[in-house]
Amino acid sequence: MAIQKKNGTEAEIETETGAETGAGQQARRGWMSLLARAPETLLLALWSGYGASPSFDWLRRPETGAVMVRGRMGGTGAPFNLGEMTVTRCALTLQDGTVGHGYVQGRSKARAEAAALIDALMQTGAASAVRRAILDPLAEAMATTREDRAARAAATKVDFFTLVRGEDG
Amino acid sequence: MYVAVKGGERAIENAHAWLAEERRGDTSVAELAVAQIREQLSLAVNRVMAEGSLYDPDLAALAIKQARGDLIEAIFLIRAYRTTLPRFGATNPVETGKMACDRRISATFKDAPGGQVLGPTFDYTHRLLDFKLTAEGEVPEAPTAEPRHEPTPHITEFLQGEDIIQREPESEATPGDLTRQPMSYPSGRDIRLQSLTRGDEGFVLGLAYSTQRGYARNHAFVGELRIGTVAVEMEIPELGFAIEIGEVELTECETVNQFAGSKTEPPQFTRGYGLVFGQTERKAISMALVDRALRWRELGEDDLGAAAQDEEFVLSHSDNIQATGFLEHIKLPHYVDFQSELELVRKLRREAGVEEVREAAE
């Protein structure tokens, strides 16, 4: 894992080769994906509720940009460019050298910063506390929202029935 | 051409000040919040995101407010903003087969696995104005049922089992990007789809309608229409693996069209494809029809000279920002141009003896 000096530039943010493999990587992928999609008010409320404010140095200050979203022809064929979406990213390092990355949908720098700090803390001894205080409630709330929509959709599913025609048939 | 003219600064400033006042409207009426537009005019927001080619509901809502509800002006604002953003990269292609569907219908298979799910649709409403909406009031909660958790399979998968519908060739080729490279013709289907998905809804709808009325014969069935959210996944270079960086709402339409077969292909169904940001059903169906019409060359069909078959015509006129830019520039000062035309017409009239005729009449 690359450790950078304060306010490092983008060129200094190297690929964390070999930092994680297998299960570790899968777990990190899971929480980063959760943080990227988290609703802002909920994430910031949970983060401030957690109460930690670890000191850190920026490797990359929060910046907003776009990513080109791709689709596939016919849903399964060759890729094509669908359009862009906004993303905000940042990278930071805790005092012990742990690097946290924040990649979140939208333009909120506060969300990206919270995501990067949570990502960093999840790689430290604080992981299980952070998971309990932030990630679990976040995942639960997001699953509930999803379930609510799916339940509404399910109620609009058509039940076909065949009409019996004629009185004496 | 038009020539820069000095002057008018004060008039312009005052015009913009009045514009701001008109935008606000009657101050005794509460001001619209951007969040209200995002939540309550969400289909307008979706259109601005789709044609602005930038998925960000808050920005689209802001643009609609700023544009006083003029959606093409709002799309213009989004396109302008988009150019200021650095591009972090491209995502992996979204997997619409894993979509969390709010709506999913098929006009071809009644008993499709996953069922016919209507979702929050205008279909089957009576299109009668609802005066209850003029009064504020609580909305009764929508009924719920046991949610479905397994993914909803694409309808075309079932036809593919029999090979009775054309397969989409698998490919991981990097698609062309019309925002980065100038257009050239003939273009690929990748560029055509990118152009159609951000194209003007009215224009694409009109072309699609023309194909239904016989200008490029292809009778389309809506094999499937689905609306819902998909995860957007991207490789993060500094991590060395992919994460979900967000989720987007999409509308996908797959049409099933008749095809008699060619020298190399047996008779089978062919497909048109539409995929658009947001809940944008009319646009996605239109896109699929026009996509299918534009595929005549690769399917070995005849060029019937229809507008919807003419790739250059379709692609060069589908962008409403290009169109409105060129159209509206003619209202800007063309004094010098017009002066020279005026001189010319006067000269021609003199040469034609118009002056003499008038003098003689007097």
Side-chain angles (χ1 to χ4, degrees), chain B residues 124-327:
Chain B
Y124 315 110
T125 62
H126 295 105
R127 266 74 184 209
L128 297 172
L129 279 175
D130 180 1
F131 290 97
K132 288 201 294 291
L133 291 175
T134 57
E136 288 171 29
E138 295 287 307
V139 181
E141 204 164 297
T144 58
E146 189 53 41
R148 182 186 157 82
H149 294 109
E150 56 276 27
T152 308
H154 276 125
I155 301 280
T156 43
E157 276 178 28
F158 307 116
L159 288 170
Q160 255 167 6
E162 291 178 67
D163 252 342
I164 204 165
I165 192 164
Q166 211 179 28
R167 282 178 187 276
E168 290 290 349
E170 283 177 29
S171 164
E172 295 303 329
T174 303
D177 184 353
L178 62 81
T179 68
R180 294 291 171 94
Q181 303 132 351
M183 295 290 285
S184 64
Y185 303 100
S187 68
R189 193 178 175 205
D190 51 346
I191 292 288
R192 299 200 300 249
L193 290 172
Q194 184 183 11
S195 174
L196 289 172
T197 192
R198 74 211 299 265
D200 183 74
E201 179 174 313
F203 182 76
V204 182
L205 168 66
L207 283 170
Y209 180 43
S210 76
T211 70
Q212 290 186 296
R213 294 192 61 256
Y215 293 87
R217 46 150 197 249
N218 62 74
H219 181 263
F221 293 100
V222 171
E224 179 166 359
L225 180 73
R226 55 169 66 195
I227 302 175
T229 51
V230 294
V232 179
E233 203 181 83
M234 189 169 91
E235 300 285 337
I236 306 297
E238 56 269 33
L239 292 173
F241 55 88
I243 64 163
E244 286 171 13
I245 50 162
E247 69 181 9
V248 292
E249 185 185 29
L250 295 175
T251 303
E252 182 184 51
C253 175
E254 289 201 85
T255 58
V256 177
N257 300 63
Q258 287 165 3
F259 178 56
S262 66
K263 290 191 190 85
T264 52
E265 301 279 341
Q268 60 180 179
F269 290 110
T270 56
R271 341 168 28 146
Y273 189 63
L275 186 67
V276 186
F277 279 155
Q279 184 178 335
T280 41
E281 186 167 305
R282 185 186 303 116
K283 171 70 175 290
I285 301 171
S286 302
M287 176 177 170
L289 263 58
V290 177
D291 170 51
R292 177 59 187 80
L294 287 171
R295 299 183 69 196
W296 64 273
R297 203 190 303 265
E298 66 207 59
L299 296 171
E301 295 174 335
D302 294 332
D303 178 7
L304 302 171
Q309 286 182 306
D310 185 336
E311 176 188 87
E312 186 165 350
F313 178 81
V314 174
L315 269 53
S316 8
H317 300 113
S318 62
D319 192 288
N320 53 25
I321 301 311
Q322 279 173 13
T324 203
F326 197 70
L327 182 105

Side-chain angles (χ1 to χ4, degrees), chain A residues 50-109:
Chain A
Y50 177 68
S53 49
S55 55
F56 63 92
D57 293 323
W58 286 116
L59 295 177
R60 177 198 275 145
R61 288 180 178 279
E63 58 170 341
T64 297
V67 299
M68 178 54 90
V69 180
R70 289 186 174 149
R72 285 189 187 280
M73 301 173 190
T76 53
F80 69 96
N81 289 312
L82 183 63
E84 290 167 302
M85 68 175 235
T86 50
V87 168
T88 302
R89 68 180 178 186
C90 66
L92 48 79
T93 174
L94 302 180
Q95 296 307 303
D96 67 358
T98 310
V99 174
H101 288 283
Y103 265 87
V104 297
Q105 181 172 14
R107 288 164 296 116
S108 169
K109 293 181 175 167

Side-chain angles (χ1 to χ4, degrees), chain A:
Chain A
M1 188 184 296
I3 311 274
Q4 289 84 12
K5 65 177 187 290
K6 203 170 183 177
N7 299 334
T9 60
E10 192 171 332
E12 291 170 274
I13 302 170
E14 292 160 25
T15 304
E16 301 180 21
T17 41
E20 296 127 322
T21 45
Q25 187 182 94
Q26 200 52 37
R28 191 171 184 197
R29 190 186 124 82
W31 74 64
M32 288 191 74
S33 300
L34 187 72
L35 292 167
R37 291 181 289 121
E40 170 150 13
T41 34
L42 181 59
L43 177 65
L44 295 183
L46 290 169
W47 172 244
S48 73
Y50 177 68
S53 49
S55 55
F56 63 92
D57 293 323
W58 286 116
L59 295 177
R60 177 198 275 145
R61 288 180 178 279
E63 58 170 341
T64 297
V67 299
M68 178 54 90
V69 180
R70 289 186 174 149
R72 285 189 187 280
M73 301 173 190
T76 53
F80 69 96
N81 289 312
L82 183 63
E84 290 167 302
M85 68 175 235
T86 50
V87 168
T88 302
R89 68 180 178 186
C90 66
L92 48 79
T93 174
L94 302 180
Q95 296 307 303
D96 67 358
T98 310
V99 174
H101 288 283
Y103 265 87
V104 297
Q105 181 172 14
R107 288 164 296 116
S108 169
K109 293 181 175 167
R111 246 181 86 206
E113 180 181 324
L117 281 167
I118 294 166
D119 176 49
L121 289 175
M122 281 302 292
Q123 302 167 63
T124 68
S128 55
V130 171
R131 180 172 290 285
R132 262 198 317 278
I134 302 172
L135 297 182
D136 288 346
L138 203 53
E140 199 180 317
M142 286 162 70
T144 303
T145 307
R146 205 177 165 89
E147 281 292 284
D148 283 352
R149 283 198 85 84
R152 280 169 173 72
T156 68
K157 184 174 165 185
V158 179
D159 286 321
F160 289 103
F161 56 89
T162 310
L163 293 169
V164 178
R165 294 218 243 175
E167 294 295 317
D168 45 19

Side-chain angles (χ1 to χ4, degrees), chain B residues 37 53 75 77 88-89 114 130 183 202 252 294 339:
Chain B
I37 297 173
S53 203
I75 292 160
L77 294 169
F88 295 161
D130 180 1
M183 295 290 285
E252 182 184 51
L294 287 171
Q339 187 69 35

